[in-house]
Amino acid sequence: QRVNVTVRSGLPMVLSGSAEPCAQLVVSSIGVVDTAEQNQRHSARFFDVLTAQLGLGPERIIIRFYPLEPWQIGKNRTVVTFL
């Protein structure tokens, strides 16, 4: 209910100057990715899953964390602030 996933495969990507297979994970959330300490824990878990599932080395994966405020997410004809 609180997680949405979009997968876009086959996109041309360059990471660290190389076009070898790579992945980028973008994580945005309200109150879950607000600190370096939180994101360090999330990063370790995401890397474990992504390296296992995608067969990529950790140097070929990048994760971008975006903290959101409740007023930045629309849902059910309002914003999360009022839900």
Side-chain angles (χ1 to χ4, degrees):
Q1 181 178 352
R2 294 181 174 249
V3 176
N4 298 300
V5 177
T6 301
V7 176
R8 295 182 186 164
S9 63
L11 295 176
M13 290 178 59
V14 174
L15 179 63
S16 300
S18 170
E20 291 298 313
C22 60
Q24 175 179 257
L25 174 65
V26 178
V27 180
S28 57
S29 183
I30 299 168
V32 178
V33 296
D34 295 331
T35 68
E37 292 76 20
Q38 286 176 318
N39 292 343
Q40 185 176 35
R41 290 188 302 273
H42 299 317
S43 184
R45 290 187 293 236
F46 283 131
F47 270 93
D48 288 346
V49 171
L50 292 171
T51 55
Q53 294 295 315
L54 300 176
L56 296 173
E59 72 284 355
R60 300 301 302 153
I61 299 170
I62 189 165
I63 302 173
R64 298 168 62 190
F65 294 99
Y66 291 98
L68 298 172
E69 297 296 329
W71 54 266
Q72 292 176 303
I73 302 297
K75 187 174 180 180
N76 296 332
R77 301 182 69 190
T78 187
V79 293
V80 174
T81 301
F82 302 110
L83 294 177

